[in-house]
Amino acid sequence: MANSITSYFYEGETKNTVSLKKEDAVSFLIHDNSNVTLDIDSFNKDNKVSVVVGNNSSIKLRLLILVDINSFEINVNVPRGSNFELVIADFSKEIGSFKSLVNLEGENSEAAIHLATLSNDNNKKKFNLSFDHKVGKTKSLIDCYGVSKDSSLIKIDGISHIYENANKADATQKVRVILFDKESEAIANPILKIDCNDIKAQHACAIGSLREEHLYYLLSRGIEINEARSLITLGYLLPIATYFDEKESEKIKEIIGGVF
């Protein structure tokens, strides 16, 4: 039996909250000249989302993930003059597969993905974040921060594909992960597929252990070890909270602060 698809239509200046808990698949359709903010507050184990953005429109999709997910797939089409922003605050235990594909289909279209993820125990988080620059004068950003502790794993694949004749396309990838323990692990694969010469593309990847001097500085001022580790984690992941409203932002602070 094929999965049913629930469609949502938005236009103008709109802000809404959507639950994926009872949906097999969801399609968000954004009209021309609209400015839409959508919060997803609950999830299935398996989620499929498609987003079709109208011309000269802007959509921000915010995910606060607190439950385990087997798979999450999102496909987005962004036409000329439009902007798409995906914000992911992931504090679940396990994510089997998170895949996003954003198609930049019109000139002066832009898209960004902001991810903050925390993994602990022996859990695993796997993300595959892709942009297709199909025409010129398009811009994309992958901006990821992670904290891996205990014997957990964070894996992030960033794929930016700039097609032939996509002149003046601009693709940026940034991935930074802190490893809190000897057994914790992180893998980052920044991939740039370039089929055009007149473009701008860059990636930065930093994966490393918790810096002892930072920890020592806090301990030397009478802060307990667990509180010190919590403060470092908070400082690293908290910027994602600025993309959310006050209620969700406070919840993110509480979650990060309670990890240790």
Side-chain angles (χ1 to χ4, degrees):
M1 180 177 179
N3 288 341
S4 61
I5 299 177
T6 302
S7 296
Y8 296 89
F9 298 85
Y10 298 99
E11 63 180 330
E13 192 84 19
T14 306
K15 185 176 181 181
N16 198 22
T17 300
V18 179
S19 171
L20 298 183
K21 194 171 184 179
K22 298 180 181 180
E23 308 292 355
D24 293 322
V26 169
S27 177
F28 298 122
L29 306 174
I30 313 301
H31 285 241
D32 294 349
N33 305 305
S34 296
N35 187 357
V36 178
T37 299
L38 299 177
D39 291 293
I40 296 182
D41 67 349
S42 59
F43 299 83
N44 272 325
K45 286 288 186 179
D46 300 284
N47 305 269
K48 290 187 177 181
V49 176
S50 66
V51 182
V52 179
V53 185
N55 293 318
N56 301 308
S57 292
S58 176
I59 175 171
K60 179 183 289 185
L61 186 62
R62 304 186 293 199
L63 315 182
L64 177 54
I65 306 176
L66 304 178
V67 298
D68 295 355
I69 291 176
N70 290 334
S71 68
F72 188 102
E73 294 184 16
I74 179 169
N75 286 275
V76 185
N77 295 324
V78 187
R80 62 176 175 82
S82 293
N83 178 278
F84 172 76
E85 188 173 24
L86 177 62
V87 182
I88 311 161
D90 166 46
F91 302 104
S92 64
K93 289 184 178 180
E94 192 100 12
I95 290 187
S97 173
F98 187 109
K99 293 183 177 181
S100 67
L101 173 59
V102 181
N103 298 297
L104 296 164
E105 299 183 326
E107 287 191 354
N108 299 312
S109 59
E110 297 185 9
I113 297 175
H114 305 279
L115 165 66
T117 180
L118 173 63
S119 188
N120 57 7
D121 296 328
N122 61 349
N123 298 313
K124 295 177 175 58
K125 308 282 186 77
K126 297 179 181 179
F127 299 89
N128 185 297
L129 312 174
S130 298
F131 288 101
D132 278 359
H133 293 254
K134 295 185 174 179
V135 300
K137 298 181 181 178
T138 51
K139 189 173 184 178
S140 69
L141 169 65
I142 296 174
D143 191 20
C144 304
Y145 288 83
V147 170
S148 179
K149 62 188 296 287
D150 305 320
S151 56
S152 65
L153 166 70
I154 294 175
K155 185 175 186 290
I156 300 174
D157 295 327
I159 304 169
S160 301
H161 186 183
I162 299 179
Y163 284 58
E164 187 177 3
N165 296 322
N167 297 307
K168 307 300 181 183
D170 185 344
T172 300
Q173 297 187 25
K174 302 176 184 177
V175 178
R176 297 175 178 85
V177 182
I178 291 181
L179 306 177
F180 262 73
D181 301 286
K182 291 182 179 179
E183 295 80 15
S184 53
E185 185 180 3
I187 301 170
N189 295 311
I191 300 170
L192 299 174
K193 298 180 179 179
I194 310 298
D195 296 324
C196 180
N197 292 325
D198 186 14
I199 59 93
K200 180 180 179 181
Q202 57 185 326
H203 64 76
C205 178
I207 297 175
S209 301
L210 178 65
R211 296 182 65 174
E212 293 297 329
E213 59 265 34
H214 292 170
L215 193 59
Y216 176 78
Y217 176 84
L218 294 173
L219 295 176
S220 69
R221 275 145 181 80
I223 298 174
E224 297 292 331
I225 181 68
N226 284 344
E227 185 181 357
R229 287 160 67 96
S230 178
L231 286 172
I232 292 171
T233 303
L234 190 67
Y236 206 65
L237 298 181
L238 190 58
I240 199 71
T242 62
Y243 294 97
F244 290 85
D245 294 337
E246 183 176 357
K247 181 180 178 180
E248 289 75 18
S249 178
E250 289 300 318
K251 181 181 290 187
I252 290 171
K253 292 178 185 178
E254 291 177 7
I255 292 169
I256 297 173
V259 169
F260 297 94

